[in-house]
Amino acid sequence: MTVPDAATRKRLFLRTWGCQMNVYDSTRMADVLAPLGYAPVEAPEGADMVILNTCHIREKASEKLFSELGRLREMKREREAAGGGMVLAVAGCVAQAEGAEITRRAPWVDIVLGPQTYHRLPEMVARASRAAGAVIETEMPVEQKFDHLPEQAASQGITAFLTVQEGCDNFCSFCVVPYTRGAEYSRPAAAVVAEARRLVAGGAREITLLGQNVNAYHGEGPGGRAWGLGRLIRELAEIPGLLRLRYTTSHPRDMDDDLVAAHRDIPALMPYLHLPVQSGSDRVLAAMNRGHTAAEFLAVVERLREAQPDLALSSDFIAGHPGETAEDFAQTMALVERVGFALAYSFKYSPRPGTPAAGAPFQVPEAEKDARLQALQTLLRAQQDEFNRSRVGLVAPVLLTGPGRHPGQVAGRSPWLQPVHLAAPLDMVGREVPVRILAAHPNSLSGLLAAAEGAPASLPAEEPAPA
Ligand code: 5AD
Ligand code: SF4
């Protein structure tokens, strides 16, 4: 890739909402545009191109988008008045779901592109400069996207994301993903391994494999046979220099024996798993079309904990799905008590237009949803605090990822995903080092390099020189 010089460089501002896959997509959009001379900048002011990478999973996504577009309209006008220009693009799942609405309400938008078409951005930018109206690309042939992305990628740093699977065929009652991201698709194993090697060559020491339903991965392996996620993880763990692997987001139903065994056999696979359960009630799980019962979820958790007793579990919950009674909700609370989560995300049910649950009878009143969410979050918060406190006193391997908040501090990441703050020289960034955990905070841990433990807390003051 030729690096444009300062005179021809164009400023690209990318704003990303939502999940880690959107974060990954944004880095890939920047990669696609780099050969055209676009280099990322930190703010929209003065940008030659602005891309809003949107998320549609929960409430108010489009309101947020339209208020942002209103602000950008002013900036675009100012740039045009000054003889310049700004290409304005809306990407991601809101673009996919509401493309026509966006061009109608915000005709100053130049490009609307869905998550499966960003490999065509260069062509869209060229067309936008010629076209009178907006260029809209919201088809869903996901294979083509991965085939057309550049091999060259900007470094993502010590921790990196890698999309291995995209889309979903599960059609949970509440979820827009099957409509916005399309049918399930797994990238071939060789393409994933090659991208992982490039990320490691660019400095990555930890890679998180991404997919909306990542453990449904069944990419083509060598010889044409499909590989499951467990097999893929075993292969990736062999890459020299790659210290850690994670994957997200998984479905309980797709947790096969080989993947469970990988948690026992592969030291690089971190003892942390995000496994959304959504509800503890069989009635609600059936209404959600989740394809498993609460007992089946608990059985999966047991198999995982047998394989990896140190596993920290995380999950997603929805409070107030249509038809959820007080008794159903009590069963969710009971499931949480039984499992004990290290981390969890919980949401009030919010209807997404076009999904089956949105039109279902027996919507739960808003006040009831609020009360349930609050009770659930109080319990999950207490479990998270308890988990973090249980780490105090342990010596844990911490991957140092960058400078910390204060001078002399570095930030790292524990095996169980908490950020860790400690005093260490910056040139240790990129290494995994033993750290004694000294304190637990709501969302992080702090500690001391275990190697430095024997050293005195401060050096004795120098003897005054004799007069
Ligand atoms: N309402 C509330 N929460 C939702 N999620 C997905 N769709 C909805 C919705 N309509 C939550 C689920 C999912 C997470 C990413 O977002 O818990 O696992
Ligand atoms: Fe959405 Fe996940 Fe259900 Fe797929 S499995 S429909 S991504 S909630």
Side-chain angles (χ1 to χ4, degrees):
M1 192 189 314
T2 45
V3 180
D5 60 34
T8 55
R9 199 165 53 206
K10 293 179 229 152
R11 284 163 297 227
L12 168 67
F13 176 69
L14 261 154
R15 170 152 201 181
T16 309
W17 284 284
C19 65
Q20 288 145 332
M21 193 174 288
N22 265 16
V23 175
Y24 173 85
D25 287 350
S26 289
T27 65
R28 299 307 268 147
M29 284 193 264
D31 292 337
V32 167
L33 290 169
L36 271 68
Y38 285 96
V41 292
E42 297 291 319
E45 287 80 12
D48 300 290
M49 178 161 186
V50 172
I51 304 178
L52 303 178
N53 192 7
T54 59
C55 167
H56 199 241
I57 201 106
R58 282 180 298 275
E59 255 171 327
K60 302 207 172 80
S62 35
E63 283 101 293
K64 268 190 241 161
L65 171 65
F66 284 112
S67 74
E68 186 77 16
L69 285 174
R71 275 195 293 277
L72 288 166
R73 176 189 209 173
E74 292 311 309
M75 265 180 224
K76 187 172 170 154
R77 274 195 189 136
E78 280 163 24
R79 269 189 75 77
E80 280 164 3
M86 176 196 275
V87 180
L88 183 52
V90 180
C93 293
V94 179
Q96 183 69 42
E98 297 180 21
E101 177 74 358
I102 292 168
T103 53
R104 191 183 64 75
R105 277 181 61 186
W108 57 95
V109 169
D110 302 295
I111 296 173
V112 176
L113 69 154
Q116 311 310 358
T117 54
Y118 58 75
H119 57 291
R120 293 201 218 128
L121 257 172
E123 175 201 327
M124 289 182 233
V125 173
R127 272 165 55 203
S129 65
R130 298 191 300 264
V135 175
I136 306 186
E137 291 271 2
T138 47
E139 287 165 38
M140 294 223 227
V142 69
E143 304 82 344
Q144 291 179 13
K145 173 179 74 177
F146 287 114
D147 287 349
H148 288 83
L149 287 176
E151 292 207 342
Q152 206 60 291
S155 166
Q156 289 188 42
I158 308 291
T159 58
F161 294 128
L162 200 178
T163 293
V164 303
Q165 178 279 335
E166 210 176 327
C168 184
D169 297 333
N170 283 338
F171 291 91
C172 296
S173 62
F174 50 84
C175 183
V176 286
V177 164
Y179 310 95
T180 57
R181 289 272 171 176
E184 203 279 318
Y185 169 75
S186 296
R187 294 175 70 188
V192 172
V193 173
E195 188 167 335
R197 286 186 188 280
R198 288 194 294 271
L199 288 169
V200 173
R205 295 292 168 265
E206 175 177 306
I207 293 181
T208 302
L209 308 177
L210 297 180
Q212 266 92 27
N213 190 2
V214 73
N215 60 342
Y217 178 83
H218 60 278
E220 184 190 331
R225 294 249 320 271
W227 276 14
L229 189 63
R231 180 71 190 83
L232 182 68
I233 286 171
R234 284 168 210 274
E235 188 74 15
L236 293 170
E238 299 294 321
I239 297 177
L242 180 57
L243 305 176
R244 295 175 158 201
L245 282 160
R246 305 177 185 275
Y247 59 96
T248 198
T249 291
S250 296
H251 194 296
R253 210 175 37 177
D254 295 312
M255 215 64 224
D256 68 20
D257 288 341
D258 190 43
L259 185 54
V260 172
H263 279 278
R264 183 190 59 219
D265 302 337
I266 311 287
L269 184 57
M270 289 292 99
Y272 168 89
L273 180 63
H274 183 64
L275 194 62
V277 61
Q278 317 292 0
S279 168
S281 151
D282 289 347
R283 277 187 63 246
V284 175
L285 287 168
M288 286 176 164
N289 192 31
R290 292 288 292 173
H292 65 83
T293 61
E296 281 161 351
F297 176 80
L298 293 171
V300 171
V301 168
E302 204 173 300
R303 281 162 59 217
L304 281 160
R305 283 183 165 159
E306 254 166 43
Q308 171 51 282
D310 191 30
L311 190 73
L313 270 172
S314 155
S315 201
D316 288 341
F317 296 88
I318 296 179
H321 182 272
E324 184 188 81
T325 63
E327 170 53 28
D328 293 319
F329 178 68
Q331 289 173 11
T332 299
M333 296 290 275
L335 180 138
V336 173
E337 293 275 13
R338 193 129 166 221
V339 174
F341 291 96
L343 192 73
Y345 304 88
S346 47
F347 314 99
K348 191 163 71 163
Y349 170 70
S350 104
R352 307 279 77 216
T355 58
F362 310 115
Q363 297 286 331
V364 177
E366 220 42 42
E368 188 57 40
K369 286 198 262 188
D370 283 331
R372 289 180 195 171
L373 183 65
Q374 206 179 11
L376 181 58
Q377 290 189 335
T378 304
L379 176 58
L380 290 167
R381 176 81 252 167
Q383 290 193 342
Q384 184 174 332
D385 289 346
E386 191 182 323
F387 181 87
N388 287 358
R389 277 199 306 272
S390 74
R391 305 296 103 175
V392 174
L394 299 182
V395 173
V398 170
L399 177 64
L400 303 181
T401 52
R405 261 179 247 137
H406 306 293
Q409 259 197 355
V410 298
R413 186 177 274 183
S414 83
W416 317 280
L417 204 63
Q418 295 79 17
V420 183
H421 299 282
L422 64 147
L426 260 183
D427 61 10
M428 288 180 82
V429 164
R431 284 169 56 185
E432 192 179 47
V433 293
V435 171
R436 184 171 295 279
I437 306 300
L438 296 178
H441 313 288
N443 300 307
S444 65
L445 303 168
S446 52
L448 186 67
L449 275 178
E453 276 182 309
S458 60
L459 295 170
E462 262 185 42
E463 287 284 330

